[in-house]
Amino acid sequence: MFDALLRRLLAPAPTHLPEPDARLALAALLVRVARTDGLYSAEEVERIDRVLSTRYGLDPFASAKLRADAEALEAIAPDTVRFTRAIKAATPLEDRTEVLTAMWSVVLADRLRDDEEDRLMRLVTNLLGLTDVQSAQARQRATGL
C-alpha cells in the first residue's frame, strides 16, 4: 500500500512529493513524534486529528482515516531523517514553521515532555532548515493551541 511512497523516501535524494503523499508523510511524522516517549495518548491522537483537519480542511472522519494510514506507515517507515527530508522537499520554507508548530502541539498535548522528544524536535528543526529560535517560537505558539 505504501510501496511507492517508501521508495521515494528511501531514494538518495527524495523528490518532491505529490500532495497526498506529502500529507501522509507529515501525518506519519506527527505520529512518530507522539510515539517518541513510548506513550501514544488519547490527547496526542486528538491533537493529530485536529492538526490534520485544520491544515488540510478535512472532516473528522477523513482526519482519522489519514491518521490511521499514517500510523500504519510510521510503523514500517524509514528513519525520521528521510521523513523530514521528504517533508522539507514538499513544504515551502515559509510553511515549515507551521509544520514545527504542529509537531510541538503534539509533543505538548499530553503535558509531558521528555529528553527523547526534545532530542527529536532539535533534529527535525535542523533537518527542516529552521533555527532553534524558530523552534522556540513554534513551541510558544503551540502552547496557545
Side-chain angles (χ1 to χ4, degrees):
M1 174 176 175
F2 304 118
D3 293 341
L5 176 56
L6 287 174
R7 275 195 300 278
R8 280 194 286 280
L9 289 171
L10 291 170
T15 59
H16 182 77
L17 294 176
E19 181 61 22
D21 287 348
R23 285 181 183 196
L24 185 57
L26 173 59
L29 185 57
L30 293 174
V31 169
R32 183 157 290 174
V33 166
R35 290 179 171 169
T36 296
D37 62 0
L39 303 170
Y40 190 42
S41 70
E43 294 88 359
E44 290 168 325
V45 169
E46 290 170 13
R47 183 59 53 96
I48 291 169
D49 286 355
R50 191 174 341 140
V51 165
L52 297 175
S53 177
T54 301
R55 185 170 181 83
Y56 300 118
L58 302 175
D59 64 47
F61 296 107
S63 296
K65 166 92 170 76
L66 178 55
R67 179 190 31 82
D69 289 345
E71 289 168 347
L73 175 61
E74 191 277 334
I76 62 168
D79 60 72
T80 304
V81 171
R82 292 175 197 248
F83 266 133
T84 308
R85 281 185 189 155
I87 291 167
K88 181 180 179 184
T91 308
L93 177 61
E94 58 274 8
D95 293 337
R96 290 185 212 148
T97 56
E98 291 178 25
V99 169
L100 204 57
T101 300
M103 292 177 65
W104 272 115
S105 75
V106 171
V107 167
L108 299 172
D110 63 2
R111 293 181 167 71
L112 302 171
R113 273 181 62 192
D114 73 1
D115 293 339
E116 285 302 309
E117 289 172 326
D118 287 342
R119 182 197 60 76
L120 181 62
M121 291 304 295
R122 281 191 302 275
L123 172 67
V124 170
T125 297
N126 183 36
L127 292 170
L128 286 173
L130 300 173
T131 67
D132 290 338
V133 170
Q134 289 169 308
S135 179
Q137 292 168 339
R139 186 179 65 244
Q140 289 172 346
R141 281 191 304 278
T143 60
L145 296 178

